[in-house]
PDB file of all heavy atoms in Angstrom:
ATOM      1  N   ILE A   1     123.790 144.973  67.352  1.00 95.00           N
ATOM      2  CA  ILE A   1     123.482 143.805  68.178  1.00 95.00           C
ATOM      3  C   ILE A   1     122.218 144.040  69.004  1.00 95.00           C
ATOM      4  O   ILE A   1     121.365 143.151  69.134  1.00 95.00           O
ATOM      5  CB  ILE A   1     124.683 143.462  69.085  1.00 95.00           C
ATOM      6  CG1 ILE A   1     125.818 142.906  68.238  1.00 95.00           C
ATOM      7  CG2 ILE A   1     124.278 142.469  70.156  1.00 95.00           C
ATOM      8  CD1 ILE A   1     127.041 142.533  69.011  1.00 95.00           C
ATOM      9  N   SER A   2     122.058 145.250  69.528  1.00 96.00           N
ATOM     10  CA  SER A   2     120.858 145.551  70.290  1.00 96.00           C
ATOM     11  C   SER A   2     119.615 145.468  69.403  1.00 96.00           C
ATOM     12  O   SER A   2     118.566 144.952  69.829  1.00 96.00           O
ATOM     13  CB  SER A   2     120.980 146.949  70.905  1.00 96.00           C
ATOM     14  OG  SER A   2     119.858 147.251  71.694  1.00 96.00           O
ATOM     15  N   PHE A   3     119.720 145.935  68.175  1.00 96.00           N
ATOM     16  CA  PHE A   3     118.604 145.881  67.232  1.00 96.00           C
ATOM     17  C   PHE A   3     118.240 144.426  66.905  1.00 96.00           C
ATOM     18  O   PHE A   3     117.065 144.036  66.907  1.00 96.00           O
ATOM     19  CB  PHE A   3     119.000 146.644  65.963  1.00 96.00           C
ATOM     20  CG  PHE A   3     117.901 146.788  64.960  1.00 96.00           C
ATOM     21  CD1 PHE A   3     117.008 147.837  65.023  1.00 96.00           C
ATOM     22  CD2 PHE A   3     117.756 145.860  63.936  1.00 96.00           C
ATOM     23  CE1 PHE A   3     115.993 147.971  64.088  1.00 96.00           C
ATOM     24  CE2 PHE A   3     116.744 145.978  63.004  1.00 96.00           C
ATOM     25  CZ  PHE A   3     115.857 147.032  63.082  1.00 96.00           C
ATOM     26  N   VAL A   4     119.261 143.605  66.649  1.00 97.00           N
ATOM     27  CA  VAL A   4     119.022 142.200  66.289  1.00 97.00           C
ATOM     28  C   VAL A   4     118.421 141.425  67.466  1.00 97.00           C
ATOM     29  O   VAL A   4     117.472 140.634  67.292  1.00 97.00           O
ATOM     30  CB  VAL A   4     120.333 141.557  65.808  1.00 97.00           C
ATOM     31  CG1 VAL A   4     120.165 140.048  65.647  1.00 97.00           C
ATOM     32  CG2 VAL A   4     120.771 142.169  64.482  1.00 97.00           C
ATOM     33  N   LEU A   5     118.931 141.627  68.662  1.00 97.00           N
ATOM     34  CA  LEU A   5     118.408 140.909  69.828  1.00 97.00           C
ATOM     35  C   LEU A   5     116.947 141.263  70.104  1.00 97.00           C
ATOM     36  O   LEU A   5     116.149 140.391  70.490  1.00 97.00           O
ATOM     37  CB  LEU A   5     119.267 141.214  71.055  1.00 97.00           C
ATOM     38  CG  LEU A   5     120.683 140.619  71.062  1.00 97.00           C
ATOM     39  CD1 LEU A   5     121.449 141.082  72.299  1.00 97.00           C
ATOM     40  CD2 LEU A   5     120.627 139.106  71.022  1.00 97.00           C
ATOM     41  N   ALA A   6     116.587 142.523  69.903  1.00 97.00           N
ATOM     42  CA  ALA A   6     115.194 142.923  70.123  1.00 97.00           C
ATOM     43  C   ALA A   6     114.254 142.191  69.165  1.00 97.00           C
ATOM     44  O   ALA A   6     113.170 141.734  69.562  1.00 97.00           O
ATOM     45  CB  ALA A   6     115.055 144.435  69.955  1.00 97.00           C
ATOM     46  N   TRP A   7     114.680 142.026  67.909  1.00 97.00           N
ATOM     47  CA  TRP A   7     113.820 141.337  66.943  1.00 97.00           C
ATOM     48  C   TRP A   7     113.825 139.820  67.152  1.00 97.00           C
ATOM     49  O   TRP A   7     112.825 139.150  66.858  1.00 97.00           O
ATOM     50  CB  TRP A   7     114.251 141.680  65.514  1.00 97.00           C
ATOM     51  CG  TRP A   7     113.674 142.982  65.070  1.00 97.00           C
ATOM     52  CD1 TRP A   7     114.300 144.186  65.010  1.00 97.00           C
ATOM     53  CD2 TRP A   7     112.320 143.208  64.657  1.00 97.00           C
ATOM     54  NE1 TRP A   7     113.442 145.160  64.579  1.00 97.00           N
ATOM     55  CE2 TRP A   7     112.216 144.587  64.346  1.00 97.00           C
ATOM     56  CE3 TRP A   7     111.197 142.398  64.514  1.00 97.00           C
ATOM     57  CZ2 TRP A   7     111.019 145.155  63.911  1.00 97.00           C
ATOM     58  CZ3 TRP A   7     110.010 142.968  64.084  1.00 97.00           C
ATOM     59  CH2 TRP A   7     109.925 144.329  63.779  1.00 97.00           C
ATOM     60  N   ILE A   8     114.924 139.265  67.651  1.00 97.00           N
ATOM     61  CA  ILE A   8     114.928 137.831  67.973  1.00 97.00           C
ATOM     62  C   ILE A   8     113.950 137.541  69.116  1.00 97.00           C
ATOM     63  O   ILE A   8     113.231 136.524  69.103  1.00 97.00           O
ATOM     64  CB  ILE A   8     116.345 137.360  68.335  1.00 97.00           C
ATOM     65  CG1 ILE A   8     117.247 137.393  67.084  1.00 97.00           C
ATOM     66  CG2 ILE A   8     116.320 135.951  68.909  1.00 97.00           C
ATOM     67  CD1 ILE A   8     118.683 137.012  67.359  1.00 97.00           C
ATOM     68  N   GLU A   9     113.893 138.418  70.102  1.00 96.00           N
ATOM     69  CA  GLU A   9     112.928 138.252  71.192  1.00 96.00           C
ATOM     70  C   GLU A   9     111.499 138.297  70.669  1.00 96.00           C
ATOM     71  O   GLU A   9     110.639 137.504  71.094  1.00 96.00           O
ATOM     72  CB  GLU A   9     113.150 139.344  72.237  1.00 96.00           C
ATOM     73  CG  GLU A   9     114.444 139.200  73.015  1.00 96.00           C
ATOM     74  CD  GLU A   9     114.796 140.448  73.789  1.00 96.00           C
ATOM     75  OE1 GLU A   9     114.089 141.463  73.649  1.00 96.00           O
ATOM     76  OE2 GLU A   9     115.795 140.409  74.541  1.00 96.00           O
ATOM     77  N   THR A  10     111.236 139.206  69.735  1.00 97.00           N
ATOM     78  CA  THR A  10     109.899 139.276  69.142  1.00 97.00           C
ATOM     79  C   THR A  10     109.569 137.996  68.385  1.00 97.00           C
ATOM     80  O   THR A  10     108.444 137.460  68.483  1.00 97.00           O
ATOM     81  CB  THR A  10     109.813 140.478  68.193  1.00 97.00           C
ATOM     82  OG1 THR A  10     110.172 141.668  68.909  1.00 97.00           O
ATOM     83  CG2 THR A  10     108.406 140.639  67.638  1.00 97.00           C
ATOM     84  N   TRP A  11     110.509 137.487  67.633  1.00 96.00           N
ATOM     85  CA  TRP A  11     110.278 136.257  66.876  1.00 96.00           C
ATOM     86  C   TRP A  11     110.031 135.077  67.815  1.00 96.00           C
ATOM     87  O   TRP A  11     109.132 134.263  67.570  1.00 96.00           O
ATOM     88  CB  TRP A  11     111.481 135.974  65.983  1.00 96.00           C
ATOM     89  CG  TRP A  11     111.371 134.680  65.243  1.00 96.00           C
ATOM     90  CD1 TRP A  11     110.673 134.429  64.101  1.00 96.00           C
ATOM     91  CD2 TRP A  11     111.984 133.437  65.614  1.00 96.00           C
ATOM     92  NE1 TRP A  11     110.801 133.122  63.733  1.00 96.00           N
ATOM     93  CE2 TRP A  11     111.603 132.484  64.646  1.00 96.00           C
ATOM     94  CE3 TRP A  11     112.813 133.049  66.662  1.00 96.00           C
ATOM     95  CZ2 TRP A  11     112.026 131.165  64.699  1.00 96.00           C
ATOM     96  CZ3 TRP A  11     113.225 131.737  66.731  1.00 96.00           C
ATOM     97  CH2 TRP A  11     112.840 130.806  65.753  1.00 96.00           C
ATOM     98  N   LEU A  12     110.814 134.974  68.892  1.00 96.00           N
ATOM     99  CA  LEU A  12     110.637 133.866  69.837  1.00 96.00           C
ATOM    100  C   LEU A  12     109.243 133.880  70.456  1.00 96.00           C
ATOM    101  O   LEU A  12     108.575 132.841  70.548  1.00 96.00           O
ATOM    102  CB  LEU A  12     111.694 133.951  70.941  1.00 96.00           C
ATOM    103  CG  LEU A  12     113.076 133.375  70.649  1.00 96.00           C
ATOM    104  CD1 LEU A  12     114.015 133.635  71.821  1.00 96.00           C
ATOM    105  CD2 LEU A  12     112.991 131.888  70.375  1.00 96.00           C
ATOM    106  N   LEU A  13     108.795 135.053  70.873  1.00 96.00           N
ATOM    107  CA  LEU A  13     107.495 135.117  71.536  1.00 96.00           C
ATOM    108  C   LEU A  13     106.350 134.857  70.557  1.00 96.00           C
ATOM    109  O   LEU A  13     105.426 134.097  70.854  1.00 96.00           O
ATOM    110  CB  LEU A  13     107.313 136.485  72.194  1.00 96.00           C
ATOM    111  CG  LEU A  13     106.017 136.626  72.987  1.00 96.00           C
ATOM    112  CD1 LEU A  13     106.129 135.916  74.324  1.00 96.00           C
ATOM    113  CD2 LEU A  13     105.649 138.082  73.196  1.00 96.00           C
ATOM    114  N   ASP A  14     106.419 135.479  69.385  1.00 94.00           N
ATOM    115  CA  ASP A  14     105.291 135.421  68.462  1.00 94.00           C
ATOM    116  C   ASP A  14     105.190 134.094  67.721  1.00 94.00           C
ATOM    117  O   ASP A  14     104.087 133.646  67.388  1.00 94.00           O
ATOM    118  CB  ASP A  14     105.401 136.570  67.459  1.00 94.00           C
ATOM    119  CG  ASP A  14     104.065 136.872  66.804  1.00 94.00           C
ATOM    120  OD1 ASP A  14     103.027 136.510  67.383  1.00 94.00           O
ATOM    121  OD2 ASP A  14     104.062 137.460  65.707  1.00 94.00           O
ATOM    122  N   PHE A  15     106.322 133.443  67.464  1.00 94.00           N
ATOM    123  CA  PHE A  15     106.304 132.223  66.661  1.00 94.00           C
ATOM    124  C   PHE A  15     106.596 130.951  67.459  1.00 94.00           C
ATOM    125  O   PHE A  15     106.417 129.852  66.924  1.00 94.00           O
ATOM    126  CB  PHE A  15     107.314 132.327  65.516  1.00 94.00           C
ATOM    127  CG  PHE A  15     106.916 133.318  64.461  1.00 94.00           C
ATOM    128  CD1 PHE A  15     107.366 134.622  64.518  1.00 94.00           C
ATOM    129  CD2 PHE A  15     106.073 132.956  63.425  1.00 94.00           C
ATOM    130  CE1 PHE A  15     107.002 135.546  63.554  1.00 94.00           C
ATOM    131  CE2 PHE A  15     105.709 133.861  62.454  1.00 94.00           C
ATOM    132  CZ  PHE A  15     106.168 135.174  62.523  1.00 94.00           C
ATOM    133  N   LYS A  16     107.046 131.097  68.685  1.00 93.00           N
ATOM    134  CA  LYS A  16     107.372 129.918  69.491  1.00 93.00           C
ATOM    135  C   LYS A  16     106.555 129.846  70.786  1.00 93.00           C
ATOM    136  O   LYS A  16     105.895 128.844  71.059  1.00 93.00           O
ATOM    137  CB  LYS A  16     108.874 129.909  69.835  1.00 93.00           C
ATOM    138  CG  LYS A  16     109.785 129.758  68.636  1.00 93.00           C
ATOM    139  CD  LYS A  16     109.623 128.402  67.983  1.00 93.00           C
ATOM    140  CE  LYS A  16     110.573 128.221  66.808  1.00 93.00           C
ATOM    141  NZ  LYS A  16     110.399 126.899  66.163  1.00 93.00           N
ATOM    142  N   VAL A  17     106.617 130.900  71.591  1.00 95.00           N
ATOM    143  CA  VAL A  17     106.028 130.838  72.931  1.00 95.00           C
ATOM    144  C   VAL A  17     104.503 130.783  72.866  1.00 95.00           C
ATOM    145  O   VAL A  17     103.878 129.849  73.380  1.00 95.00           O
ATOM    146  CB  VAL A  17     106.498 132.031  73.784  1.00 95.00           C
ATOM    147  CG1 VAL A  17     105.829 131.995  75.155  1.00 95.00           C
ATOM    148  CG2 VAL A  17     108.012 132.010  73.942  1.00 95.00           C
ATOM    149  N   LEU A  18     103.895 131.775  72.244  1.00 94.00           N
ATOM    150  CA  LEU A  18     102.437 131.854  72.236  1.00 94.00           C
ATOM    151  C   LEU A  18     101.775 130.689  71.493  1.00 94.00           C
ATOM    152  O   LEU A  18     100.819 130.095  72.009  1.00 94.00           O
ATOM    153  CB  LEU A  18     101.994 133.199  71.656  1.00 94.00           C
ATOM    154  CG  LEU A  18     102.439 134.436  72.455  1.00 94.00           C
ATOM    155  CD1 LEU A  18     101.908 135.706  71.808  1.00 94.00           C
ATOM    156  CD2 LEU A  18     101.984 134.340  73.903  1.00 94.00           C
ATOM    157  N   PRO A  19     102.238 130.287  70.276  1.00 93.00           N
ATOM    158  CA  PRO A  19     101.610 129.119  69.635  1.00 93.00           C
ATOM    159  C   PRO A  19     101.771 127.827  70.418  1.00 93.00           C
ATOM    160  O   PRO A  19     100.839 127.022  70.513  1.00 93.00           O
ATOM    161  CB  PRO A  19     102.324 129.044  68.267  1.00 93.00           C
ATOM    162  CG  PRO A  19     102.835 130.409  68.018  1.00 93.00           C
ATOM    163  CD  PRO A  19     103.194 130.941  69.361  1.00 93.00           C
ATOM    164  N   GLN A  20     102.955 127.602  71.007  1.00 92.00           N
ATOM    165  CA  GLN A  20     103.182 126.374  71.771  1.00 92.00           C
ATOM    166  C   GLN A  20     102.308 126.334  73.017  1.00 92.00           C
ATOM    167  O   GLN A  20     101.744 125.295  73.367  1.00 92.00           O
ATOM    168  CB  GLN A  20     104.659 126.266  72.157  1.00 92.00           C
ATOM    169  CG  GLN A  20     105.015 124.999  72.906  1.00 92.00           C
ATOM    170  CD  GLN A  20     104.849 123.763  72.053  1.00 92.00           C
ATOM    171  OE1 GLN A  20     105.187 123.783  70.879  1.00 92.00           O
ATOM    172  NE2 GLN A  20     104.329 122.697  72.628  1.00 92.00           N
ATOM    173  N   GLU A  21     102.155 127.471  73.691  1.00 91.00           N
ATOM    174  CA  GLU A  21     101.314 127.501  74.886  1.00 91.00           C
ATOM    175  C   GLU A  21      99.840 127.324  74.535  1.00 91.00           C
ATOM    176  O   GLU A  21      99.098 126.690  75.294  1.00 91.00           O
ATOM    177  CB  GLU A  21     101.534 128.811  75.642  1.00 91.00           C
ATOM    178  CG  GLU A  21     102.865 128.871  76.356  1.00 91.00           C
ATOM    179  CD  GLU A  21     102.990 130.089  77.237  1.00 91.00           C
ATOM    180  OE1 GLU A  21     102.189 131.024  77.098  1.00 91.00           O
ATOM    181  OE2 GLU A  21     103.910 130.104  78.074  1.00 91.00           O
ATOM    182  N   ASN A  22      99.404 127.867  73.404  1.00 90.00           N
ATOM    183  CA  ASN A  22      98.017 127.644  72.978  1.00 90.00           C
ATOM    184  C   ASN A  22      97.771 126.167  72.676  1.00 90.00           C
ATOM    185  O   ASN A  22      96.720 125.612  73.024  1.00 90.00           O
ATOM    186  CB  ASN A  22      97.710 128.499  71.751  1.00 90.00           C
ATOM    187  CG  ASN A  22      97.630 129.973  72.086  1.00 90.00           C
ATOM    188  OD1 ASN A  22      97.324 130.350  73.212  1.00 90.00           O
ATOM    189  ND2 ASN A  22      97.919 130.823  71.111  1.00 90.00           N
ATOM    190  N   GLU A  23      98.744 125.532  72.043  1.00 91.00           N
ATOM    191  CA  GLU A  23      98.606 124.102  71.754  1.00 91.00           C
ATOM    192  C   GLU A  23      98.581 123.284  73.040  1.00 91.00           C
ATOM    193  O   GLU A  23      97.765 122.353  73.179  1.00 91.00           O
ATOM    194  CB  GLU A  23      99.769 123.654  70.868  1.00 91.00           C
ATOM    195  CG  GLU A  23      99.701 122.196  70.447  1.00 91.00           C
ATOM    196  CD  GLU A  23     100.874 121.798  69.567  1.00 91.00           C
ATOM    197  OE1 GLU A  23     101.625 122.702  69.136  1.00 91.00           O
ATOM    198  OE2 GLU A  23     101.044 120.588  69.322  1.00 91.00           O
ATOM    199  N   ASP A  24      99.441 123.618  73.997  1.00 87.00           N
ATOM    200  CA  ASP A  24      99.442 122.910  75.283  1.00 87.00           C
ATOM    201  C   ASP A  24      98.138 123.139  76.047  1.00 87.00           C
ATOM    202  O   ASP A  24      97.624 122.224  76.698  1.00 87.00           O
ATOM    203  CB  ASP A  24     100.626 123.366  76.140  1.00 87.00           C
ATOM    204  CG  ASP A  24     101.968 122.951  75.547  1.00 87.00           C
ATOM    205  OD1 ASP A  24     101.971 122.047  74.692  1.00 87.00           O
ATOM    206  OD2 ASP A  24     102.997 123.546  75.919  1.00 87.00           O
ATOM    207  N   GLU A  25      97.592 124.346  75.962  1.00 86.00           N
ATOM    208  CA  GLU A  25      96.340 124.648  76.642  1.00 86.00           C
ATOM    209  C   GLU A  25      95.185 123.848  76.046  1.00 86.00           C
ATOM    210  O   GLU A  25      94.333 123.324  76.784  1.00 86.00           O
ATOM    211  CB  GLU A  25      96.045 126.151  76.541  1.00 86.00           C
ATOM    212  CG  GLU A  25      94.750 126.581  77.222  1.00 86.00           C
ATOM    213  CD  GLU A  25      94.809 126.461  78.729  1.00 86.00           C
ATOM    214  OE1 GLU A  25      95.930 126.448  79.294  1.00 86.00           O
ATOM    215  OE2 GLU A  25      93.725 126.363  79.344  1.00 86.00           O
ATOM    216  N   ASN A  26      95.156 123.728  74.724  1.00 87.00           N
ATOM    217  CA  ASN A  26      94.109 122.936  74.080  1.00 87.00           C
ATOM    218  C   ASN A  26      94.216 121.463  74.449  1.00 87.00           C
ATOM    219  O   ASN A  26      93.208 120.789  74.695  1.00 87.00           O
ATOM    220  CB  ASN A  26      94.186 123.110  72.562  1.00 87.00           C
ATOM    221  CG  ASN A  26      93.843 124.524  72.129  1.00 87.00           C
ATOM    222  OD1 ASN A  26      93.112 125.240  72.822  1.00 87.00           O
ATOM    223  ND2 ASN A  26      94.388 124.952  70.990  1.00 87.00           N
ATOM    224  N   ARG A  27      95.458 120.945  74.499  1.00 87.00           N
ATOM    225  CA  ARG A  27      95.652 119.552  74.885  1.00 87.00           C
ATOM    226  C   ARG A  27      95.227 119.322  76.333  1.00 87.00           C
ATOM    227  O   ARG A  27      94.574 118.325  76.653  1.00 87.00           O
ATOM    228  CB  ARG A  27      97.114 119.161  74.683  1.00 87.00           C
ATOM    229  CG  ARG A  27      97.391 117.684  74.908  1.00 87.00           C
ATOM    230  CD  ARG A  27      98.871 117.354  74.816  1.00 87.00           C
ATOM    231  NE  ARG A  27      99.415 117.693  73.512  1.00 87.00           N
ATOM    232  CZ  ARG A  27     100.296 118.670  73.296  1.00 87.00           C
ATOM    233  NH1 ARG A  27     100.715 119.400  74.324  1.00 87.00           N
ATOM    234  NH2 ARG A  27     100.755 118.908  72.098  1.00 87.00           N
ATOM    235  N   TYR A  28      95.598 120.241  77.203  1.00 81.00           N
ATOM    236  CA  TYR A  28      95.229 120.114  78.618  1.00 81.00           C
ATOM    237  C   TYR A  28      93.715 120.168  78.795  1.00 81.00           C
ATOM    238  O   TYR A  28      93.137 119.388  79.563  1.00 81.00           O
ATOM    239  CB  TYR A  28      95.894 121.243  79.407  1.00 81.00           C
ATOM    240  CG  TYR A  28      95.503 121.309  80.862  1.00 81.00           C
ATOM    241  CD1 TYR A  28      96.068 120.445  81.793  1.00 81.00           C
ATOM    242  CD2 TYR A  28      94.581 122.246  81.301  1.00 81.00           C
ATOM    243  CE1 TYR A  28      95.708 120.504  83.125  1.00 81.00           C
ATOM    244  CE2 TYR A  28      94.223 122.310  82.632  1.00 81.00           C
ATOM    245  CZ  TYR A  28      94.787 121.446  83.544  1.00 81.00           C
ATOM    246  OH  TYR A  28      94.427 121.517  84.857  1.00 81.00           O
ATOM    247  N   GLN A  29      93.049 121.057  78.049  1.00 83.00           N
ATOM    248  CA  GLN A  29      91.604 121.175  78.158  1.00 83.00           C
ATOM    249  C   GLN A  29      90.900 119.931  77.645  1.00 83.00           C
ATOM    250  O   GLN A  29      89.894 119.479  78.210  1.00 83.00           O
ATOM    251  CB  GLN A  29      91.126 122.411  77.383  1.00 83.00           C
ATOM    252  CG  GLN A  29      89.677 122.778  77.648  1.00 83.00           C
ATOM    253  CD  GLN A  29      89.441 123.147  79.099  1.00 83.00           C
ATOM    254  OE1 GLN A  29      90.272 123.792  79.720  1.00 83.00           O
ATOM    255  NE2 GLN A  29      88.296 122.744  79.641  1.00 83.00           N
ATOM    256  N   SER A  30      91.439 119.345  76.573  1.00 84.00           N
ATOM    257  CA  SER A  30      90.841 118.119  76.045  1.00 84.00           C
ATOM    258  C   SER A  30      90.979 116.971  77.036  1.00 84.00           C
ATOM    259  O   SER A  30      90.063 116.152  77.197  1.00 84.00           O
ATOM    260  CB  SER A  30      91.491 117.752  74.714  1.00 84.00           C
ATOM    261  OG  SER A  30      92.868 117.468  74.879  1.00 84.00           O
ATOM    262  N   ILE A  31      92.112 116.889  77.731  1.00 86.00           N
ATOM    263  CA  ILE A  31      92.298 115.847  78.742  1.00 86.00           C
ATOM    264  C   ILE A  31      91.337 116.049  79.907  1.00 86.00           C
ATOM    265  O   ILE A  31      90.720 115.101  80.404  1.00 86.00           O
ATOM    266  CB  ILE A  31      93.760 115.834  79.234  1.00 86.00           C
ATOM    267  CG1 ILE A  31      94.695 115.379  78.113  1.00 86.00           C
ATOM    268  CG2 ILE A  31      93.919 114.919  80.432  1.00 86.00           C
ATOM    269  CD1 ILE A  31      96.161 115.461  78.476  1.00 86.00           C
ATOM    270  N   MET A  32      91.165 117.308  80.339  1.00 82.00           N
ATOM    271  CA  MET A  32      90.239 117.576  81.433  1.00 82.00           C
ATOM    272  C   MET A  32      88.799 117.262  81.042  1.00 82.00           C
ATOM    273  O   MET A  32      88.027 116.719  81.834  1.00 82.00           O
ATOM    274  CB  MET A  32      90.355 119.049  81.852  1.00 82.00           C
ATOM    275  CG  MET A  32      91.674 119.412  82.529  1.00 82.00           C
ATOM    276  SD  MET A  32      91.923 118.565  84.109  1.00 82.00           S
ATOM    277  CE  MET A  32      93.050 117.260  83.607  1.00 82.00           C
ATOM    278  N   ASP A  33      88.415 117.593  79.803  1.00 75.00           N
ATOM    279  CA  ASP A  33      87.062 117.273  79.347  1.00 75.00           C
ATOM    280  C   ASP A  33      86.846 115.764  79.284  1.00 75.00           C
ATOM    281  O   ASP A  33      85.770 115.261  79.622  1.00 75.00           O
ATOM    282  CB  ASP A  33      86.820 117.896  77.972  1.00 75.00           C
ATOM    283  CG  ASP A  33      86.814 119.416  78.032  1.00 75.00           C
ATOM    284  OD1 ASP A  33      86.613 119.959  79.138  1.00 75.00           O
ATOM    285  OD2 ASP A  33      87.024 120.069  76.984  1.00 75.00           O
ATOM    286  N   ALA A  34      87.893 115.045  78.839  1.00 79.00           N
ATOM    287  CA  ALA A  34      87.769 113.586  78.750  1.00 79.00           C
ATOM    288  C   ALA A  34      87.606 112.960  80.132  1.00 79.00           C
ATOM    289  O   ALA A  34      86.818 112.036  80.318  1.00 79.00           O
ATOM    290  CB  ALA A  34      88.976 112.993  78.038  1.00 79.00           C
ATOM    291  N   THR A  35      88.339 113.456  81.118  1.00 80.00           N
ATOM    292  CA  THR A  35      88.223 112.905  82.473  1.00 80.00           C
ATOM    293  C   THR A  35      86.886 113.261  83.108  1.00 80.00           C
ATOM    294  O   THR A  35      86.353 112.495  83.917  1.00 80.00           O
ATOM    295  CB  THR A  35      89.360 113.422  83.357  1.00 80.00           C
ATOM    296  OG1 THR A  35      89.382 114.866  83.322  1.00 80.00           O
ATOM    297  CG2 THR A  35      90.695 112.893  82.877  1.00 80.00           C
ATOM    298  N   GLU A  36      86.324 114.416  82.751  1.00 77.00           N
ATOM    299  CA  GLU A  36      85.025 114.780  83.305  1.00 77.00           C
ATOM    300  C   GLU A  36      83.897 113.954  82.693  1.00 77.00           C
ATOM    301  O   GLU A  36      82.894 113.692  83.351  1.00 77.00           O
ATOM    302  CB  GLU A  36      84.762 116.268  83.069  1.00 77.00           C
ATOM    303  CG  GLU A  36      85.628 117.183  83.934  1.00 77.00           C
ATOM    304  CD  GLU A  36      85.401 118.636  83.619  1.00 77.00           C
ATOM    305  OE1 GLU A  36      84.571 118.919  82.706  1.00 77.00           O
ATOM    306  OE2 GLU A  36      86.027 119.493  84.261  1.00 77.00           O
ATOM    307  N   ARG A  37      84.054 113.554  81.424  1.00 76.00           N
ATOM    308  CA  ARG A  37      83.012 112.755  80.787  1.00 76.00           C
ATOM    309  C   ARG A  37      83.002 111.309  81.258  1.00 76.00           C
ATOM    310  O   ARG A  37      81.988 110.635  81.171  1.00 76.00           O
ATOM    311  CB  ARG A  37      83.197 112.790  79.257  1.00 76.00           C
ATOM    312  CG  ARG A  37      82.794 114.115  78.622  1.00 76.00           C
ATOM    313  CD  ARG A  37      82.649 113.944  77.127  1.00 76.00           C
ATOM    314  NE  ARG A  37      83.905 113.571  76.521  1.00 76.00           N
ATOM    315  CZ  ARG A  37      84.776 114.431  76.009  1.00 76.00           C
ATOM    316  NH1 ARG A  37      84.521 115.727  76.054  1.00 76.00           N
ATOM    317  NH2 ARG A  37      85.899 114.006  75.453  1.00 76.00           N
ATOM    318  N   VAL A  38      84.125 110.811  81.771  1.00 66.00           N
ATOM    319  CA  VAL A  38      84.183 109.424  82.242  1.00 66.00           C
ATOM    320  C   VAL A  38      83.439 109.319  83.568  1.00 66.00           C
ATOM    321  O   VAL A  38      83.752 110.046  84.506  1.00 66.00           O
ATOM    322  CB  VAL A  38      85.645 108.967  82.410  1.00 66.00           C
ATOM    323  CG1 VAL A  38      85.703 107.585  83.027  1.00 66.00           C
ATOM    324  CG2 VAL A  38      86.350 108.966  81.064  1.00 66.00           C
ATOM    325  N   PRO A  39      82.415 108.440  83.703  1.00 63.00           N
ATOM    326  CA  PRO A  39      81.685 108.323  84.975  1.00 63.00           C
ATOM    327  C   PRO A  39      82.570 107.717  86.049  1.00 63.00           C
ATOM    328  O   PRO A  39      83.456 106.911  85.768  1.00 63.00           O
ATOM    329  CB  PRO A  39      80.517 107.382  84.626  1.00 63.00           C
ATOM    330  CG  PRO A  39      81.022 106.587  83.452  1.00 63.00           C
ATOM    331  CD  PRO A  39      81.919 107.520  82.676  1.00 63.00           C
ATOM    332  N   PRO A  40      82.356 108.095  87.303  1.00 59.00           N
ATOM    333  CA  PRO A  40      83.159 107.514  88.398  1.00 59.00           C
ATOM    334  C   PRO A  40      82.864 106.032  88.548  1.00 59.00           C
ATOM    335  O   PRO A  40      81.725 105.587  88.474  1.00 59.00           O
ATOM    336  CB  PRO A  40      82.697 108.301  89.634  1.00 59.00           C
ATOM    337  CG  PRO A  40      81.347 108.817  89.261  1.00 59.00           C
ATOM    338  CD  PRO A  40      81.373 109.071  87.777  1.00 59.00           C
TER     339      PRO A  40
END
């Protein structure tokens, strides 16, 4: 069980956490760029 849980944690971080956060960061950056390009 300890062996399996350690590998599940690795799978969660590498295939879920990091890709999802990179996608959210790109979306957030695109929104910020769009708001900066709009003149006041």
Side-chain angles (χ1 to χ4, degrees):
I1 290 180
S2 182
F3 186 87
V4 171
L5 290 176
W7 277 102
I8 291 177
E9 291 166 355
T10 304
W11 176 81
L12 277 176
L13 184 77
D14 200 21
F15 290 93
K16 295 294 182 181
V17 177
L18 297 182
Q20 182 66 40
E21 287 187 345
N22 289 334
E23 183 180 350
D24 293 342
E25 180 68 22
N26 293 334
R27 187 185 300 112
Y28 175 79
Q29 191 63 39
S30 63
I31 293 175
M32 291 296 101
D33 294 340
T35 54
E36 289 177 359
R37 286 195 297 267
V38 174

